[in-house]
């Protein structure tokens, strides 16, 4: 019985990895501050990336960064550098690394790690003082990261 369940689990896991063409947060490979391999098979969509950058519930990058091209979005913060021209300052692989886990690029930065599930200092489960159940999902999906990278590449000097 135990054995049957085990082979079933392996079967299920096999099916999942065969259909999803996504690199999981814990499998992302960093090399010299860059992530060369795209996180998904689908090319990034700059229009959707722009939405993620400017939307509070998504990336909310504008809370900390100014983007001149986005004058339609209100309240740009000045905590981080302006994103104008980042498409010239960084390669695609460097931008991807920065978004996945900025802490691996800028030591001790306050910029959030957008594609990471841990280890974190995890927030407690509401009012119980206990850790939440299960791993926390990353802030953005693999596709959203690729979309934001595609958008940032359009920001030239
Ligand atoms: C809480 C504030 C905060 C948020 C939110 C944030 N960042 Fe940052 N970001 C920073 C800071 C601060 C830096 C500068 C690095 C450092 O010295 O810490 C930075 C650096 C960068 C850089 C490098 C800029 C350069 O010219 O060197 C890029 C690109 C960037 N962020 C993109 C983004 C994107 C895209 C998002 C949203 C998905 C985002 N950031 C969200 C704070 C933030």
């Amino acid at each position: 019985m135990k054995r049957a369940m085990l082979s079933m689990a392996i079967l299920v896991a096999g099916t999942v990895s065969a259909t999803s063409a996504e690199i999981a947060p814990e499998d992302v490979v960093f090399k010299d501050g860059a992530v060369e391999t795209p996180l998904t098979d689908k090319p990034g969509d700059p229009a959707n990336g722009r939405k993620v950058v400017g939307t509070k519930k998504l990336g909310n990058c504008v809370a900390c960064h100014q983007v001149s091209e986005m004058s339609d979005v209100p309240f740009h913060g000045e905590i981080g550098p302006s994103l104008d021209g980042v498409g010239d300052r960084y390669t695609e692989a460097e931008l991807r690394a920065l978004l996945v886990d900025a802490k691996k690029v800028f030591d001790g930065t306050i910029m959030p790690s957008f594609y990471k599930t841990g280890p974190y200092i995890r927030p407690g489960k509401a009012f119980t003082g206990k850790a939440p159940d299960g791993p926390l999902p990353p802030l953005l999906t693999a596709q959203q990261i690729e979309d934001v990278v595609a958008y940032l590449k359009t920001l030239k000097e």
Side-chain angles (χ1 to χ4, degrees):
M1 182 60 201
K2 219 171 176 178
R3 207 155 148 182
M5 261 163 73
L6 191 72
S7 47
M8 200 142 105
I10 291 167
L11 208 79
V12 170
T15 323
V16 169
S17 64
T19 49
S20 79
E22 238 180 62
I23 299 178
E26 62 274 20
D27 295 333
V28 178
V29 178
F30 282 79
K31 199 169 166 261
D32 305 325
V35 174
E36 293 290 342
T37 318
L39 306 179
T40 64
D41 282 353
K42 204 175 134 209
D45 169 10
N48 192 54
R50 187 182 194 275
K51 212 171 97 195
V52 173
V53 168
T55 306
K56 202 167 176 183
K57 284 203 168 136
L58 297 171
N60 198 22
C61 317
V62 293
C64 294
H65 293 283
Q66 206 243 320
V67 191
S68 302
E69 180 276 316
M70 272 197 180
S71 50
D72 54 318
V73 177
F75 312 123
H76 292 229
E78 293 183 342
I79 295 165
S82 162
L83 296 184
D84 292 355
V86 283
D88 285 326
R89 288 199 291 281
Y90 294 94
T91 65
E92 177 182 321
E94 286 166 346
L95 289 171
R96 184 176 293 115
L98 226 149
L99 286 170
V100 167
D101 191 355
K103 276 133 184 111
K104 288 215 166 110
V105 182
F106 301 111
D107 216 14
T109 186
I110 55 160
M111 176 157 155
S113 304
F114 286 97
Y115 196 61
K116 186 177 150 183
T117 49
Y120 278 132
I121 299 169
R122 286 150 62 108
K125 197 170 163 183
F127 309 114
T128 61
K130 286 187 184 142
D133 303 317
L136 295 172
L139 293 176
L140 294 177
T141 65
Q143 193 58 52
Q144 285 170 331
I145 299 279
E146 291 305 318
D147 293 351
V148 172
V149 169
Y151 171 66
L152 294 179
K153 272 167 55 189
T154 69
L155 301 178
K156 304 281 188 184
E157 298 291 1

